[in-house]
Amino acid sequence: MIVRQQGGLTEFIPSPQEKREGVLRDHTLRMLENLDARLRRIEEELGLPLNEAEAFSKIMARIHREEAEARRINRKLMDSGLDHTEST
């Protein structure tokens, strides 16, 4: 994270590596969801048991919850950091 301070304001800028990692993570999650949907349709069409598909869906739901929580925490930290710098 690159931190830039100017005139009492603090700006948090993701480094190029952090941006790249975020893009890759998001893209990978979308690809996995797409693959899961396609495999699920095939399994349903063939009448295969959906135990593994359901387990994967639970894992993806957990990942989404954790990602949402991380975004919430980051937003809270950014907001508290802005409040702190404005008062100084």
Side-chain angles (χ1 to χ4, degrees), residues 8-9 17 38 45 56-58 77-78:
L9 296 174
Q17 180 179 352
R38 289 171 182 257
E45 188 68 31
F56 185 78
S57 293
K58 289 179 183 178
L77 290 172
M78 294 291 281

Side-chain angles (χ1 to χ4, degrees), residues 10-70:
T10 303
E11 184 178 8
F12 299 95
I13 305 167
S15 69
Q17 180 179 352
E18 289 170 323
K19 288 180 184 178
R20 188 171 38 259
E21 289 171 356
V23 168
L24 287 173
R25 182 189 62 245
D26 293 345
H27 183 67
T28 300
L29 289 174
R30 285 192 300 271
M31 284 179 26
L32 287 171
E33 289 170 342
N34 187 19
L35 180 60
D36 176 50
R38 289 171 182 257
L39 288 174
R40 184 180 291 265
R41 283 194 297 258
I42 292 169
E43 291 168 342
E44 287 173 352
E45 188 68 31
L46 295 176
L48 297 172
L50 298 176
N51 298 346
E52 296 298 324
E54 294 301 327
F56 185 78
S57 293
K58 289 179 183 178
I59 290 170
M60 288 305 295
R62 187 174 120 213
I63 290 171
H64 283 293
R65 283 191 308 272
E66 290 173 357
E67 289 284 320
E69 179 66 11

